[in-house]
Amino acid sequence: MKNFKSILLLIFLCTSFIGYTQTATITGVILDEQNQPIANANINTKNYGTYTDTNGYYILQITADQKTDITFSHIGHKNVVITSLILTTNETYEFNPVLKTNTIQVDEVTVTAYGEKKVDGIINLSTKQISKIPGANAGVENILTLLPGVNSNNELSTQYAVRGGNYDENLIYINEIEVYKPFLIRSAQQEGLSSINTNMVQSVKFSAGGFQAKYGDKLSSSLNITYKTPVKLQTQIDLSLLGASATLETASKNKKFTSITGVRYRNNNILVNSTNTNANFNPTFADIQSYFTYQFSEKFRLNFLGNISINDYKNEPLNRETNFGTINNPQTLLVHYQGQEKNRYTTALGALKGNYYVNENLTFKAISSIYHTTEEEYSDVIAAYRLGASGTDLNDTNISKGIGSQYNRARNDLDAVLFNFEIKGIHRKNNSVLEMGIKYTHEDIRDQIRESEFIDSVGFSIRPPQSQFINDQPNIPFTAPLVPFTGINATNFVKTNRFSGYLQYSNTKNWNQHNLYYNLGIRSQYWTVSGTGIEKKSHAILSPRFQFAWKPNWEKDMLFRLATGVYQQPPFYRELRNQNGIINSNVKAQKAIHFVAGNEYSFLLWERPFSLISEVYYKKITNVNPYTLEDVRIRYAALNNAKAYAYGAEVRLNGAFVPGTESWVSLGYLKTEENTNNRGYIFRPTDQRLKLGILFQDYVPNMPQLKMYLNLVYNTGVPGGSPSYADPYIFQKRLRDYKRADLGISHIFVDADKKYPKNHWLHGFKDLSVGIEIFNLFNNQNSITNTWVRDVDSKQQYAIPNFMTSRVLNLKLSMRL
């Protein structure tokens, strides 16, 4: 096995430097000073050229990994020139120049010999990479976890933690419309599909901290997705052993109406059946998303985003055998199950967005959305277990160290409606930009939670460790009524009204041939929590933020960034509900002060473009609402009785390690701890110290249509939690390190570089590829959480790791017509 691993690593890491001609694409819309599209404008390079259509749209392919000068021209307008632009293979660079009669301006973007640098600290991710990189849950979130500050040790989940935060601390927008995830999901295998349809994505922008005031009130990160605005009719179909998807793009003849619709179906059978629990697993994950645009006039455009998702999850566990412990003391847990889980999550989102262009400097936007989710979580599962030394007959009661059973029952129902209405304004003048916005949000949540856990061990029921149940059982009979070891029974009707707003100003200046950029912003939110039997409470927050960037006029292409600010997260419903299901309307917003310093250095290595991005950060967090994390379920204390901190350093080297490809290596260090009730600092549940992520692409030099994609992730283990009623200050055991490699090999039959004549059967395809994927290539045993089992004799509780998926093979077919 060691030789097998060594050979594979040698093959993957020994790259060939024999390249072949690859292309990149620059595209966009050319406008004049009145924000009108310019038809028949010329776009020229030394070797290539094209012109815009009647809607000002253009698309031009250029040679990748080489310096290219591009000129945009039209009679009566000043030329716009990009000099020495270098794009990587298959990169699509969107550039929308405004041709004026006097000067030109590119806001917040510095175009250099190495593409664009976003001075506001936003990371732009290639959409072509996202669709090709393999993963058990491939997509936007999959590639995010390869960034140094983003952590996830659950390949079935699309949720992620950023720089010590949890899954609830991340903002997600699609075309500036905030999207939400189901509330009740407790395990990753229940998630199914991401809320983002990868085949509909045009651009991905991500910030891991220190983001601007306009992005919202969360503690950790902001993910901004833009869906495509099609320019012609085309269809994309993807098929695999995990499911299928189809995407249809349309555009009217005059390009005023466009639509893109995606339908997806997913079945995780092959993944879940690779875990150490045998089960009859019958899930149905399906959704349909549509994004429509209609241009009523040159000044007004209306967009619609709709999404319906159904997660129908059924699971009947059968048995489980888990080996754990040490070499000197190997242990085995054998479990037999009865019962099943039936969970159903149905969500719907409808949103309208109107853009009104008053003039070339002033734009207004109005966004209205409504999100509705109905969630049912019904389960009755009995688990009979035996615990003992490995290699022994656990059916012999004299040998087993632990014999018992556990009955888990849930009858949870949730119905939530969220309504948003927002108005934004953007005013641009020369190099300055003034942005403002106001938003109203109404949340109406009806929740009934009924959960219980009964534990029986050698004929007696274990009651909660509370004063009324202290006894000498089993030596002396105890006649108190049977009660669950843990139980929740609560019904909550909660309404929240929120008013929020922001104001920010940014400017770019030139000082002694150095480019300086700064952004000043402030956010505010006022909210009121009320409901049946709930004390009505109101709260208010104020969050100032600041960004500064300096691009010196040096021979070396460098950019320096600084960001600081106050980031406050008003409590959402889950943060108001404690572990007993009781709502506390007095919960305040958690507050974090960010300090971020970064550098981006672009350079040529082996005559190919590379960039080295590094950042250090520190977060001081107060009003902390402590929580427990089990798989992906978060349960809060609903108290602001803790304080915390997080600090770390990150570095990412990105470039063409192999000619004509883009790869990166990222490394991150993080430390985050919290202090509850001044008892001292202990690890937070997301304290993942070391992170290594590698995204690597390669191809066969003499057969460039045969491509390889590899992602490698190594995370040190996070705290493994503690048993029910246990003091977390005592249980500080960590899970094992998370190590995973996913490999994809594709044969490209048709793409932009390889076309066929009309009489060939492949002529009708714009893209066609067939591939094989191997998930968890080295078959590492990773765990996401622990199951706690007690030894009857010593009363000791053993942490039994719940292992994730093992090695899985997947076949994939992708086509675009």
Side-chain angles (χ1 to χ4, degrees):
M1 185 63 184
K2 290 184 179 179
N3 292 333
F4 173 71
K5 292 183 178 181
S6 300
I7 292 171
L8 281 174
L9 287 174
L10 184 63
I11 292 173
F12 298 148
L13 299 179
C14 293
T15 64
S16 170
F17 295 100
I18 303 175
Y20 70 101
T21 302
Q22 294 276 355
T23 62
T25 302
I26 182 169
T27 183
V29 176
I30 300 180
L31 303 172
D32 62 16
E33 294 176 277
Q34 282 71 44
N35 212 39
Q36 301 294 318
I38 300 178
N40 299 316
N42 294 311
I43 305 96
N44 290 294
T45 70
K46 183 178 179 181
N47 300 316
Y48 304 98
T50 187
Y51 57 89
T52 58
D53 62 14
T54 56
N55 297 291
Y57 175 80
Y58 74 93
I59 183 169
L60 177 67
Q61 288 189 337
I62 63 175
T63 303
D65 304 324
Q66 294 183 9
K67 293 182 179 180
T68 303
D69 296 341
I70 305 175
T71 301
F72 301 83
S73 61
H74 189 261
I75 296 175
H77 297 85
K78 294 285 187 178
N79 292 352
V80 172
V81 181
I82 299 178
T83 60
S84 301
L85 176 69
I86 298 179
L87 299 179
T88 58
T89 300
N90 294 328
E91 179 180 357
T92 299
Y93 175 39
E94 183 178 353
F95 186 68
N96 303 309
V98 176
L99 302 189
K100 299 185 178 181
T101 56
N102 42 34
T103 60
I104 63 171
Q105 173 227 335
V106 181
D107 176 55
E108 293 191 9
V109 177
T110 301
V111 179
T112 72
Y114 311 97
E116 67 172 13
K117 286 183 171 62
K118 295 293 288 185
V119 294
D120 54 5
I122 298 292
I123 299 173
N124 292 305
L125 297 175
S126 167
T127 55
K128 290 193 175 183
Q129 275 188 335
I130 292 171
S131 61
K132 294 176 180 177
I133 300 304
N137 217 329
V140 173
E141 295 89 349
N142 180 53
I143 202 169
L144 284 181
T145 59
L146 297 176
L147 297 174
V150 184
N151 294 308
S152 174
N153 56 351
N154 192 329
E155 61 269 15
L156 293 178
S157 176
T158 60
Q159 305 196 56
Y160 51 89
V162 180
R163 293 180 176 176
N166 68 30
Y167 304 143
D168 290 339
E169 297 179 7
N170 306 307
L171 290 159
I172 302 177
Y173 297 98
I174 297 179
N175 291 79
E176 299 183 90
I177 299 160
E178 187 170 2
V179 296
Y180 304 89
K181 295 184 177 181
F183 294 76
L184 296 183
I185 286 179
R186 65 175 64 201
S187 66
Q189 64 190 41
Q190 298 172 356
E191 287 190 25
L193 292 165
S194 165
S195 56
I196 303 166
N197 189 327
T198 304
N199 291 336
M200 298 173 64
V201 172
Q202 176 178 299
S203 69
V204 179
K205 298 180 180 181
F206 179 74
S207 173
F211 45 88
Q212 295 178 357
K214 66 180 179 181
Y215 289 119
D217 292 309
K218 287 290 180 76
L219 292 183
S220 294
S221 73
S222 174
L223 174 63
N224 298 276
I225 305 294
T226 301
Y227 276 175
K228 297 176 183 176
T229 300
V231 295
K232 58 184 176 180
L233 175 66
Q234 61 181 8
T235 303
Q236 180 168 338
I237 299 174
D238 294 302
L239 304 172
S240 78
L241 298 181
L242 289 171
S245 69
T247 307
L248 175 65
E249 301 179 27
T250 68
S252 63
K253 187 175 181 180
N254 59 7
K255 299 295 191 297
K256 287 189 174 183
F257 175 77
T258 67
S259 73
I260 180 169
T261 299
V263 180
R264 296 182 294 173
Y265 169 82
R266 182 178 174 90
N267 189 311
N268 283 339
N269 255 319
I270 65 171
L271 293 170
V272 176
N273 288 335
S274 71
T275 64
N276 62 334
T277 299
N278 296 320
N280 292 325
F281 186 66
N282 184 27
T284 301
F285 304 127
D287 81 339
I288 179 171
Q289 294 191 41
S290 293
Y291 180 64
F292 303 123
T293 67
Y294 186 78
Q295 185 175 344
F296 285 87
S297 66
E298 299 299 338
K299 290 192 173 185
F300 180 65
R301 178 176 296 176
L302 186 65
N303 307 318
F304 170 79
L305 176 66
N307 179 10
I308 298 176
S309 175
I310 299 175
N311 285 13
D312 195 356
Y313 175 85
K314 296 178 182 179
N315 182 30
E316 182 183 352
L318 301 175
N319 56 72
R320 162 185 176 176
E321 182 175 344
T322 303
N323 298 309
F324 67 102
T326 63
I327 296 177
N328 297 326
N329 184 27
Q331 300 289 316
T332 297
L333 174 70
L334 183 64
V335 186
H336 293 280
Y337 295 96
Q338 288 184 331
Q340 63 180 337
E341 299 176 75
K342 291 184 178 180
N343 302 334
R344 185 180 178 88
Y345 314 98
T346 303
T347 64
L349 170 70
L352 283 173
K353 175 184 173 184
N355 295 342
Y356 183 69
Y357 305 96
V358 180
N359 52 48
E360 63 171 336
N361 298 321
L362 182 62
T363 302
F364 286 107
K365 301 178 183 180
I367 304 172
S368 178
S369 69
I370 186 166
Y371 172 82
H372 182 216
T373 178
T374 56
E375 304 176 24
E376 300 173 352
E377 188 178 35
Y378 297 166
S379 67
D380 291 278
V381 177
I382 299 174
Y385 71 87
R386 293 178 182 270
L387 174 68
S390 297
T392 60
D393 183 8
L394 295 184
N395 293 315
D396 187 344
T397 58
N398 295 319
I399 295 177
S400 299
K401 297 180 62 176
I403 302 175
S405 62
Q406 178 176 308
Y407 171 41
N408 289 90
R409 183 178 189 272
R411 295 292 186 273
N412 299 330
D413 295 274
L414 183 141
D415 190 313
V417 176
L418 284 71
F419 171 78
N420 291 283
F421 181 74
E422 182 176 12
I423 296 177
K424 297 181 177 181
I426 305 173
H427 182 268
R428 305 173 186 270
K429 186 176 182 180
N430 298 327
N431 291 329
S432 65
V433 182
L434 178 66
E435 300 178 69
M436 63 192 73
I438 55 174
K439 183 178 182 180
Y440 168 70
T441 301
H442 175 74
E443 302 160 8
D444 189 346
I445 298 175
R446 303 182 178 190
D447 179 26
Q448 184 176 51
I449 178 171
R450 293 168 293 176
E451 296 181 4
S452 56
E453 177 187 31
F454 293 86
I455 300 177
D456 181 272
S457 188
V458 223
F460 66 92
S461 179
I462 300 176
R463 295 171 173 84
Q466 298 170 356
S467 58
Q468 64 267 37
F469 299 114
I470 296 176
N471 63 91
D472 194 23
Q473 189 180 4
N475 298 323
I476 299 176
F478 189 53
T479 58
L482 291 177
V483 296
F485 184 67
T486 60
I488 304 174
N489 192 338
T491 301
N492 299 314
F493 295 161
V494 181
K495 293 184 179 181
T496 306
N497 291 293
R498 305 179 189 271
F499 296 90
S500 61
Y502 68 89
L503 177 67
Q504 67 176 47
Y505 174 79
S506 58
N507 202 347
T508 303
K509 293 185 176 294
N510 187 280
W511 176 70
N512 289 340
Q513 296 185 334
H514 300 282
N515 291 325
L516 303 177
Y517 167 84
Y518 65 88
N519 176 280
L520 292 167
I522 189 168
R523 283 194 67 86
S524 179
Q525 185 171 145
Y526 173 84
W527 73 98
T528 300
V529 179
S530 62
T532 304
I534 298 172
E535 183 183 7
K536 186 175 181 179
K537 286 290 182 178
S538 298
H539 307 265
I541 58 172
L542 203 63
S543 303
R545 301 173 190 179
F546 172 71
Q547 288 183 333
F548 175 79
W550 170 43
K551 189 179 187 309
N553 185 26
W554 295 349
E555 183 178 347
K556 293 185 176 181
D557 190 351
M558 284 195 174
L559 179 72
F560 298 89
R561 291 190 294 261
L562 291 172
T564 186
V566 177
Y567 295 80
Q568 301 194 65
Q569 182 165 321
F572 201 48
Y573 172 70
R574 284 206 302 190
E575 294 155 89
L576 296 171
R577 190 183 71 182
N578 68 15
Q579 296 179 351
N580 295 318
I582 300 173
I583 299 298
N584 180 11
S585 58
N586 289 304
V587 176
K588 300 177 182 178
Q590 299 184 84
K591 181 179 179 180
I593 302 177
H594 289 201
F595 300 94
V596 183
N599 170 259
E600 184 173 348
Y601 172 39
S602 299
F603 57 94
L604 289 178
L605 181 63
W606 307 313
E607 299 299 321
R608 296 191 295 274
F610 281 80
S611 62
L612 181 66
I613 303 171
S614 56
E615 282 193 342
V616 294
Y617 60 89
Y618 175 79
K619 294 193 284 188
K620 180 182 178 182
I621 314 169
T622 55
N623 289 339
V624 172
N625 189 348
Y627 63 91
T628 59
L629 179 61
E630 182 181 356
D631 204 324
V632 298
R633 181 173 66 167
I634 300 174
R635 287 198 164 174
Y636 292 90
L639 296 170
N640 301 107
N641 61 338
K643 56 185 177 181
Y645 67 85
Y647 66 80
E650 303 168 358
V651 62
R652 180 165 69 103
L653 178 64
N654 179 74
F657 289 90
V658 176
T661 69
E662 182 181 6
S663 304
W664 74 59
V665 179
S666 63
L667 182 65
Y669 174 80
L670 160 73
K671 183 177 182 181
T672 180
E673 294 183 323
E674 69 183 18
N675 181 353
T676 304
N677 293 325
N678 292 320
R679 296 183 61 191
Y681 283 95
I682 59 173
F683 309 137
R684 303 194 81 192
T686 54
D687 182 45
Q688 199 148 40
R689 293 296 174 85
L690 187 64
K691 161 70 179 290
L692 173 67
I694 298 176
L695 184 153
F696 185 73
Q697 301 185 61
D698 201 354
Y699 58 87
V700 178
N702 296 325
M703 192 185 296
Q705 65 271 24
L706 187 61
K707 299 180 182 294
M708 185 273 287
Y709 310 94
L710 175 70
N711 60 354
L712 296 167
V713 176
Y714 169 78
N715 295 328
T716 52
V718 295
S722 58
S724 299
Y725 301 107
D727 186 350
Y729 274 78
I730 298 176
F731 286 84
Q732 284 291 285
K733 180 180 177 66
R734 286 181 177 267
L735 298 172
R736 62 177 65 186
D737 293 351
Y738 182 86
K739 295 168 284 188
R740 185 174 180 86
D742 295 324
L743 171 69
I745 299 174
S746 295
H747 187 279
I748 311 297
F749 290 94
V750 183
D751 64 3
D753 297 321
K754 189 174 182 181
K755 301 293 184 183
Y756 289 86
K758 288 185 177 181
N759 58 351
H760 197 280
W761 69 277
L762 290 175
H763 173 72
F765 293 92
K766 296 182 177 67
D767 289 288
L768 178 64
S769 64
V770 176
I772 182 173
E773 297 177 325
I774 305 176
F775 305 138
N776 198 1
L777 180 65
F778 301 126
N779 203 26
N780 292 306
Q781 281 193 315
N782 297 308
S783 59
I784 180 59
T785 186
N786 290 319
T787 294
W788 297 90
V789 177
R790 68 173 58 213
D791 175 0
V792 175
D793 296 328
S794 64
K795 306 301 181 185
Q796 178 181 353
Q797 297 208 55
Y798 289 88
I800 315 297
N802 295 316
F803 293 123
M804 300 300 296
T805 59
S806 56
R807 184 187 295 121
V808 173
L809 177 69
N810 184 39
L811 302 178
K812 189 175 182 180
L813 170 67
S814 180
M815 65 185 78
R816 188 161 58 91
L817 305 172

